Amino acid sequence: MAVREILKMGDARLLRVAQPVVNFDTDELHLLVTDLLDTMHAAHGAGLAAPQIGVDLRVVIFGSGQLNPRYPDAPVVPRTVLCNPVITPLSDEEEQDWEGCLSVPGMRGVVPRWRRIRYQGVDQYGDAIDRTVEGFHARVVQHECDHLDGKLYPMRVRDFTRFGYTEVLFPGLDPKADD
Ligand code: NI
């Protein structure tokens, strides 16, 4: 287990379209998942994608199974390891809400996302995941899966009057909750 360095926006490795996972239940994949979990927990993140630690594979993790102190008003999202995800929006309805990203530390922005989605994929053992979700859960999944296609949330911001430094936008916020 290891806490890995999180790449920051500007690093070309965050812009790649990541490769599909081919082999499941391997030592290599389990080690990657452990590193992602350790790194996400150390950074108090809501999710993390393999490209953020420089690994060019379509693997994301998200959720905690309990309330995240960085998002105290957010509903509980089950801890999930998701490989080779496919997202299908279930309506045209979008929702705007604040996001941050461990690769864009100290900033927040309002990002439009599909309100309701179905996501499919497999876990690290190759077992199928197929869920229909909405709201915060749907937002987290879309944010993490964007990382697999080289997209960071600032690339989706439409209204730059609602994008900036967390300490300025939310002066009362815990400074540790800065990304
Ligand atoms: Ni992110």
Side-chain angles (χ1 to χ4, degrees):
M1 66 188 265
V3 174
R4 305 268 294 262
E5 183 196 356
I6 298 175
L7 306 183
K8 293 192 186 123
M9 191 165 82
D11 192 305
R13 288 172 288 177
L14 289 169
L15 302 176
R16 296 185 290 201
V17 175
Q19 301 299 309
V21 178
V22 177
N23 299 310
F24 295 91
D25 201 10
T26 63
D27 289 349
E28 191 184 10
L29 188 56
H30 291 308
L31 192 62
L32 170 61
V33 168
T34 302
D35 283 0
L36 284 168
L37 287 166
D38 290 346
T39 306
M40 180 178 81
H41 291 148
H44 307 287
L48 193 65
Q52 291 181 276
I53 59 168
V55 174
D56 188 25
L57 283 174
R58 302 186 79 76
V59 178
V60 301
I61 64 165
F62 52 84
S64 58
Q66 53 190 20
L67 284 179
N68 185 322
R70 281 179 57 210
Y71 302 98
D73 299 327
V76 171
V77 177
R79 177 183 290 171
T80 303
V81 176
L82 183 63
C83 307
N84 302 342
V86 176
I87 293 178
T88 310
L90 295 178
S91 78
D92 289 341
E93 203 183 337
E94 284 183 350
E95 218 165 50
Q96 308 264 350
D97 210 343
W98 291 97
E99 290 185 18
C101 179
L102 297 172
S103 293
V104 190
M107 304 198 80
R108 291 277 173 99
V110 168
V111 184
R113 299 286 185 189
W114 301 117
R115 196 183 77 77
R116 199 160 171 268
I117 61 165
R118 175 185 185 183
Y119 67 92
Q120 296 159 281
V122 293
D123 67 13
Q124 67 271 46
Y125 301 97
D127 293 329
I129 293 170
D130 186 344
R131 293 179 185 151
T132 295
V133 300
E134 58 185 37
F136 180 75
H137 188 159
R139 175 170 297 277
V140 168
V141 174
Q142 290 171 82
H143 176 116
E144 295 314 324
C145 293
D146 259 0
H147 279 294
L148 306 180
D149 291 323
K151 277 208 171 63
L152 297 158
Y153 84 82
M155 300 173 186
R156 293 204 181 269
V157 170
R158 291 186 195 143
D159 176 3
F160 282 93
T161 69
R162 294 197 292 170
F163 175 67
Y165 291 96
T166 313
E167 65 188 32
V168 179
L169 289 164
F170 304 102
L173 211 66
D174 175 358
K176 275 197 291 189
D178 69 344
D179 35 42

